Amino acid sequence: MSTSAHKSAEPVPTGGTVTDRLVEANLRYAAEFQDPGMDARPVLQVAVVACMDARLDLHAALGLELGDCHTIRNAGGVVTDDVIRSLTISQRALGTRSVILVHHTGCGLENITEDFRIELEEEVGQRPAWAVEAFRDVEQDVRQSMQRVRTSPFLPHTDDVRGFVFDVTKGVLREIDPAE
């Protein structure tokens, strides 16, 4: 039984790996692919930073089409140095002006702690250089992420930065007031 919400018309191959299945799907996609003739600059001049959670279909939830936005995803949708790097390139080289942050209910980062790094060090003999960025309060984490974007010296466009929590059971966004 599949837990995926996606129902493929093609049967799942009985041999091989998930990656093999994805490569086969790409071959079917490529056979009918037509170059949309788009530029790398997003039409809506917006970058969306969101969690990598598989339950978030950002394009559907936000009414976006191919070419509308830049999408930057990581565990928790946390604004890390690498997210700032991507946003800087998005704004300075590719014309985005707005940033939308999307965290969500039931995030896995609410269930772990920074001790995760110590556990990794004990297991593999090396502590990761990155922070886990675990949190207990999703709204406060959205506020922190908004503040990180707004105060970055590398981002010239910080007037339109808004943060939301997506409810994974209802499909609705709830905007977070940065001042609370």
Side-chain angles (χ1 to χ4, degrees), residues 57-146:
D57 183 348
L58 291 171
H59 277 74
L62 299 173
L64 296 166
E65 300 292 330
L66 182 67
D68 282 348
C69 71
H70 284 159
T71 306
I72 304 162
R73 295 181 80 154
N74 67 20
V78 177
V79 176
T80 60
D81 286 346
D82 193 58
V83 168
I84 294 294
R85 171 189 157 272
S86 293
L87 286 172
T88 301
I89 293 166
S90 178
Q91 287 190 0
R92 291 181 177 269
L94 297 166
T96 59
R97 299 290 181 263
S98 301
V99 178
I100 295 175
L101 305 169
V102 181
H103 289 40
H104 66 92
T105 58
C107 185
L109 284 185
E110 293 176 291
N111 300 319
I112 62 176
T113 67
E114 291 298 321
D115 289 342
F116 183 79
R117 294 173 70 233
I118 296 167
E119 294 164 8
L120 280 173
E121 180 181 22
E122 290 170 356
E123 180 182 329
V124 303
Q126 180 179 342
R127 185 179 294 189
W130 40 263
V132 174
E133 298 276 357
F135 55 87
R136 294 282 178 247
D137 182 338
V138 67
E139 291 183 14
Q140 183 56 36
D141 200 61
V142 171
R143 287 184 194 96
Q144 177 176 298
S145 290
M146 284 190 281

Side-chain angles (χ1 to χ4, degrees), residues 1 7-9 53 70 79 85 92 104 149 151 156 161 178 180:
M1 178 177 165
K7 302 294 182 202
S8 174
D53 192 295
H70 284 159
V79 176
R85 171 189 157 272
R92 291 181 177 269
H104 66 92
V149 171
T151 60
V161 177
E180 287 185 18

Side-chain angles (χ1 to χ4, degrees), residues 1-8 21:
M1 178 177 165
S2 172
T3 59
S4 174
H6 179 265
K7 302 294 182 202
S8 174
R21 179 177 144 213

Side-chain angles (χ1 to χ4, degrees), residues 24-43:
E24 289 173 17
N26 174 257
L27 292 173
R28 290 188 299 277
Y29 172 79
E32 297 183 22
F33 182 78
Q34 293 181 12
D35 181 357
M38 295 178 176
D39 187 277
R41 296 173 177 271
V43 173

